[in-house]
Amino acid sequence: MTLSRLAAGSLLLVALAGGAVPAAAQRGAKPATLLNVSYDPTRELYEDFNRQFAAYWKGKTGQTVTVRQSHGGSGKQARSVIDGLQADVVTLALGYDIDVLADNGLLPADWQKQLPHNSAPYTSTVIFLVRKGNPKKIRDWPDLVRPGVSVVTPNPKTSGGARWNYLAAWGYALRRPGGDEAKARDFVGKLYRNVPVLDAGARGATTTFVERGIGDVLIAWENEALLAVKELGAGEVEVVVPSTSILAEPPVAVVAKVARKHGTEEVAKAYLDYLYTEAGQEIAARHFYRPIDPAVAAKYAAQFPRVDLFSLADVSGDWRATQQKHFADGGVFDRIYQPGR
Amino acid sequence: MRSVQYWAGGVIVAAASVAGAQRLMAQQDTTRDSVPPSLEQRVEALDQQVRILQRLRELAADSIAAAAKSGVSSTAGSKDGFSIKSADGKYVVRLRGLLQTDGRFFPSDSANPATNTFFLRRARPILEATVGKYLEFRLMPDFGQGTTALFDAYSDIKVSPGFAVRVGKFKEPVDLERLQSASDIVFAERSLASNLAPNRDVGLQLSGDIDSGRVAWQAGVFNGVPDLGNSDGDVSDAKDFSGRVFFQPFKRGSLKGLGVGVAGTAGLERGTTAAPQLAGYRTSGQQTWFRYLASTTTPAGNVFADGARQRLAPQAYFYTGSLGLHGEYIQSWQRVSRDAVPSVKLEHSAWQVTGSYFLTGEKNSWRSAAPRKPFDPKAGTFGAVELAARYSELSIDDAAFPAFANPSGTPSRARAWAVGVNWYLAKGIKALVDYEHTTFTGGAGTADRDPENFVATRVQYSF
């Protein structure tokens, strides 16, 4: 055997051996660190999920992975990533906030096709949280525009959750009998005139309502409202489920450019894939996010109230069009939100 | 910035909402105008108002903190001068400066009188900028000695931490002394050896670090200025290629401060009798002691560069504790012509070794030291004191005489020894006194030119 053949054979053996073992396992015990940049109310979800994923990944590959978290208003978080926050993955409140990352070359334009269910591993909706005994008798959306009702919701300019809140109200007004854009604009305008404080994010709005005791009703993510009830006890605040609301689909994505630079593409992809597993879906459900896995959804069906849900497409098209029309500078929100007039 | 706007906007909007809250309560009152609000209802409304105001104050404080964290920062200090930096650190503008006020004195100079004078040796504002992730820029004019000249004007494209492309006007990577910043050199003036190397030139340079800086390299193409040259353009089509490699093999231990390297240039230089592209050589007192034959009345007889030019410069430094040493040897070859005289390739050589030691214990290095205890009479601290010594010499090729230089008026060799004291009052503030004695071979008929005794003083401020 010539030397060149021996070398070629050796290389082939090494290549074959390499192909048989996951790359992370080949790397052995070299630890990895991921930064998950997420929106406001997902702190508890990802604290729990990160622990379980780290154990799962260690068992599978032998690699230790540490996941750091960053939380804030979804739009603000997206801006931070564009400005240089080194997110390996983003788990944000709405698709538009990841679209802008794609616009800045941080991930591919077709990011939403890279994971199942448009890259939304769980869903949620928008409901109300009211004071004990519901003293203002708030039952549905029209009660939020009554004079004398103080509404707490965050700022749609900075918060993804707030944009879902806004669109839920908009969709309600648009879809009710005789509804049209003018009436929807008038309805949402009246609602925001009842808002005394605009927090930057959903968690801040919950703090305003629950801890600071401001307002009669909090428009909230379903998971945030149910978590508040669980933590405070049913005696402090009560959940009110409106007649109709919006299907919120918070998406997730690997920030390809950053992950490539960090050498974390494989573990970042695995991290998001794990959200779709039965274990990941269980964790989401335990934190009051609606699982997309039918079996897990059935198991936890009792904790999620039945709501007539409409989609974003039903009331406003896709996220780019929605952002441009409602939340861009000079958009509908800027025109209708004129506090104090 | 946009997020700050959002924050600020949120707070402004929310602040405006207080009025909304008041109006809201007024509405409440209006709807119940038939039934006046009870005391309990009024207290409850006021309680809400107070809570809203408190929350708005919290949010305003958050906004201010967030704005402070993400806003543009400005700094002032002796290290980076005055700087303005964007929130993400990708855009930085720095304003720095160097001012050297010198005294130049020549005791016992009756044979070759030179002027004793105070003057501004260097007066340089320095503008540096970082533009985005990859681009850096530097602009440095000099208004010293009554003239205006552009010394540095270049941009660096930092392709990766270990590789950069520099374009513009800057120091050619040849002479070790020249590569040391004018604010960091141990003596007021560089040694005789620097005569054989270029100063600034316009060109393109690639540079990089290998193995965490253990090996540094530069390679570039330049117009090709004469020795000591500082030019913005070329007079011929030929160009110079320059290269330098410098090793600092030890990152730890007692040899950590050792650096060894070699530099060189190769190219063609073709001058004319009107623009010879040849330099005269100077003492540290900046007195020209060697010049090629040149005449303003019969310029046809002037010597001019006429072909290949090369330089080779092995060099080294060593810093350990308070002691610093650096030295180099430079050999240069330049083909010259004159009128009907056959062209000759002249070979000049020079070398220097410089040592310095901090009496006050500061660590010696390639850069100026910062005194451990800056000068403060009230605190009884004096700053840092450094003693320095240097020897250098430059030899002209014998073949230069008499066809290309006049042996009766031009020495063929200069040797100089120097001693000096540097006083660092604070970081960036330095005063010094140097004495240098230079002797010559030839240059005064059949005898040697009188030695030059040179005293330099300097007060330097750099930031």
Side-chain angles (χ1 to χ4, degrees):
Chain A
M1 182 178 282
T2 65
L3 189 61
S4 59
R5 283 189 179 182
L6 186 63
S10 303
L11 283 173
L12 185 63
L13 275 174
V14 169
L16 288 171
V21 183
Q26 288 176 51
R27 282 196 299 273
K30 189 180 176 187
T33 300
L34 294 179
L35 174 61
N36 175 5
V37 171
S38 193
Y39 60 109
D40 233 358
T42 57
R43 287 174 176 81
E44 296 79 8
L45 163 65
Y46 281 107
E47 278 170 17
D48 197 356
F49 179 81
N50 293 345
R51 268 195 303 274
Q52 292 206 32
F53 172 74
Y56 155 78
W57 189 246
K58 179 81 173 175
K60 183 179 179 184
T61 67
Q63 185 181 31
T64 301
V65 59
T66 305
V67 186
R68 293 184 294 122
Q69 300 172 222
S70 169
H71 297 271
S74 184
K76 193 164 154 276
Q77 291 290 79
R79 172 52 51 187
S80 297
V81 174
I82 292 167
D83 288 344
L85 183 61
Q86 294 289 294
D88 300 278
V89 298
V90 285
T91 54
L92 295 177
L94 46 86
Y96 179 76
D97 290 334
I98 302 184
D99 282 341
V100 296
L101 302 185
D103 292 345
N104 281 274
L106 292 166
L107 42 79
D110 66 346
W111 63 269
Q112 211 153 8
K113 294 178 183 167
Q114 299 198 353
L115 288 167
H117 290 270
N118 289 327
S119 292
Y122 40 77
T123 67
S124 189
T125 188
V126 171
I127 58 175
F128 307 150
L129 206 58
V130 298
R131 305 270 169 219
K132 177 185 175 185
N134 195 0
K136 292 290 173 78
K137 310 288 183 223
I138 292 162
R139 306 286 180 216
D140 205 352
W141 291 102
D143 296 319
L144 271 52
V145 301
R146 282 194 339 238
V149 171
S150 178
V151 180
V152 176
T153 181
N155 187 347
K157 292 278 192 177
T158 55
S159 162
R163 271 172 273 180
W164 286 115
N165 294 353
Y166 169 101
L167 290 164
W170 177 270
Y172 164 79
L174 193 67
R175 295 172 79 240
R176 68 180 172 180
D180 58 23
E181 285 215 0
K183 286 175 181 166
R185 190 178 293 120
D186 179 61
F187 179 83
V188 177
K190 282 180 181 167
L191 190 155
Y192 276 89
R193 277 195 287 278
N194 281 354
V195 178
V197 176
L198 279 177
D199 284 273
R203 182 55 58 90
T206 306
T207 301
T208 295
F209 182 75
V210 175
E211 293 181 23
R212 302 294 183 269
I214 294 168
D216 301 311
V217 55
L218 170 72
I219 311 178
W221 287 101
E222 178 183 57
N223 52 281
E224 186 78 345
L226 295 176
L227 181 69
V229 170
K230 180 186 171 192
E231 290 194 346
L232 292 170
E236 292 292 321
V237 288
E238 295 176 12
V239 165
V240 169
V241 180
S243 60
T244 184
S245 191
I246 196 162
L247 174 67
E249 296 175 300
V252 300
V254 174
V255 184
K257 190 173 178 182
V258 177
R260 200 177 304 125
K261 188 173 86 176
H262 293 171
T264 54
E265 285 167 296
E266 183 191 4
V267 64
K269 172 74 164 49
Y271 178 75
L272 297 186
D273 285 342
Y274 194 64
L275 282 167
Y276 290 86
T277 64
E278 188 179 343
Q281 292 285 291
E282 284 267 357
I283 297 166
R286 283 204 300 272
H287 289 273
F288 305 109
Y289 293 83
R290 295 182 178 225
I292 54 169
D293 180 289
V296 181
K299 182 178 171 185
Y300 286 88
Q303 75 179 25
F304 297 108
R306 289 179 176 275
V307 195
D308 172 28
L309 295 176
F310 54 87
S311 71
L312 175 70
D314 293 335
V315 295
S316 189
D318 65 15
W319 263 116
R320 283 187 188 276
T322 301
Q323 177 70 24
Q324 192 59 34
K325 178 177 177 180
H326 291 277
F327 308 117
D329 289 345
V332 175
F333 178 74
D334 281 346
R335 293 200 296 276
I336 62 167
Y337 185 59
Q338 297 165 341
R341 285 193 183 174
Chain B
M1 185 57 79
R2 196 173 173 81
S3 61
V4 175
Q5 287 171 344
Y6 281 161
W7 271 95
V11 171
I12 290 164
V13 161
S17 300
V18 174
Q22 290 167 328
R23 180 175 154 278
L24 202 145
M25 283 182 281
Q27 284 175 337
Q28 195 171 11
D29 291 345
T30 307
T31 55
R32 299 173 186 175
D33 54 359
S34 54
V35 183
S38 66
L39 183 60
E40 189 181 345
Q41 285 172 324
R42 285 175 180 275
V43 169
E44 194 178 310
L46 281 171
D47 176 63
Q48 276 291 298
Q49 204 170 1
V50 169
R51 286 170 187 268
I52 289 167
L53 287 168
Q54 282 177 334
R55 182 61 174 156
L56 289 174
R57 203 172 63 172
E58 281 178 8
L59 295 178
D62 287 348
S63 298
I64 291 165
K69 214 184 283 182
S70 62
V72 171
S73 62
S74 58
T75 60
S78 58
K79 187 181 173 196
D80 288 327
F82 301 94
S83 71
I84 301 172
K85 187 190 284 187
S86 66
D88 59 7
K90 289 180 181 171
Y91 296 86
V92 185
V93 174
R94 287 177 292 274
L95 178 62
R96 301 171 54 212
L98 170 65
L99 180 65
Q100 294 174 339
T101 306
D102 283 19
R104 186 180 283 168
F105 306 101
F106 299 90
S108 62
D109 60 343
S110 54
N112 297 289
T115 306
N116 296 333
T117 180
F118 291 110
F119 67 110
L120 291 179
R121 178 66 175 89
R122 294 180 178 91
R124 297 177 173 177
I126 304 166
L127 181 67
E128 295 174 330
T130 301
V131 184
K133 203 171 172 182
Y134 301 108
L135 193 66
E136 292 190 352
F137 168 84
R138 177 180 165 102
L139 187 67
M140 185 181 76
D142 186 9
F143 302 107
Q145 304 186 75
T147 60
T148 300
L150 187 60
F151 272 65
D152 286 338
Y154 62 79
S155 57
D156 281 333
I157 303 163
K158 302 215 162 180
V159 180
S160 71
F163 179 64
V165 180
R166 176 172 291 183
V167 183
K169 183 179 181 184
F170 50 94
K171 290 177 180 175
E172 266 194 65
V174 183
D175 170 23
L176 186 68
E177 270 191 303
R178 180 70 61 190
L179 290 173
Q180 190 170 34
S181 168
S183 59
D184 297 329
I185 53 177
V186 177
F187 284 88
E189 299 292 346
R190 293 183 173 92
S191 74
L192 291 166
S194 280
N195 280 296
L196 296 187
N199 187 344
R200 258 79 170 185
D201 205 351
V202 180
L204 180 147
Q205 174 183 284
L206 310 179
S207 66
D209 285 338
I210 301 170
D211 195 14
S212 305
R214 283 186 170 85
V215 183
W217 62 270
Q218 298 96 31
V221 56
F222 297 86
N223 279 334
V225 293
D227 294 339
L228 292 173
N230 177 7
S231 172
D232 294 333
D234 206 350
V235 297
S236 71
D237 293 340
K239 298 290 169 272
D240 269 12
F241 295 91
S242 300
R244 178 175 181 261
V245 59
F246 199 78
F247 302 88
Q248 293 172 280
F250 306 103
K251 288 291 177 186
R252 293 198 184 95
S254 56
L255 295 177
K256 182 182 170 189
L258 176 66
V260 180
V262 62
T265 73
L268 293 173
E269 188 63 51
R270 297 194 190 283
T272 64
T273 54
Q277 296 298 297
L278 292 171
Y281 300 138
R282 301 190 294 242
T283 63
S284 294
Q286 304 302 294
Q287 307 304 304
T288 301
W289 61 271
F290 172 83
R291 55 169 58 90
Y292 291 97
L293 289 173
S295 167
T296 53
T297 53
T298 54
N302 289 356
V303 183
F304 57 91
D306 192 22
R309 175 177 59 206
Q310 293 101 26
R311 302 179 182 95
L312 187 65
Q315 51 201 244
Y317 64 53
F318 180 56
Y319 293 97
T320 179
S322 296
L323 178 67
L325 297 168
H326 65 79
E328 64 192 312
Y329 175 84
I330 303 181
Q331 184 112 14
S332 81
W333 297 266
Q334 171 72 65
R335 183 166 290 279
V336 299
S337 289
R338 175 180 166 241
D339 206 0
V341 180
S343 71
V344 171
K345 192 172 188 180
L346 298 178
E347 178 182 316
H348 307 323
S349 62
W351 63 276
Q352 66 88 16
V353 59
T354 302
S356 67
Y357 185 81
F358 278 97
L359 296 177
T360 43
E362 279 72 12
K363 192 177 174 191
N364 211 323
S365 77
W366 181 247
R367 306 294 302 272
S368 277
R372 294 195 298 190
K373 294 177 180 174
F375 176 67
D376 185 347
K378 284 185 182 171
T381 55
F382 189 71
V385 177
E386 179 187 33
L387 297 183
R390 178 174 73 194
Y391 180 82
S392 64
E393 64 177 64
L394 195 165
S395 298
I396 304 296
D397 192 329
D398 289 343
F401 302 97
F404 303 103
N406 174 14
S408 63
T410 304
S412 62
R413 174 183 277 196
R415 298 183 179 92
W417 59 263
V419 291
V421 181
N422 296 327
W423 177 24
Y424 298 83
L425 287 84
K427 172 97 178 150
I429 304 176
K430 176 166 108 173
L432 63 81
V433 179
D434 297 340
Y435 171 75
E436 183 147 353
H437 178 74
T438 307
T439 58
F440 304 95
T441 302
T446 56
D448 293 339
R449 175 178 168 146
D450 279 358
E452 177 185 283
N453 295 297
F454 166 55
V455 175
T457 64
R458 169 169 295 168
V459 175
Q460 170 180 303
Y461 182 63
S462 62
F463 61 89

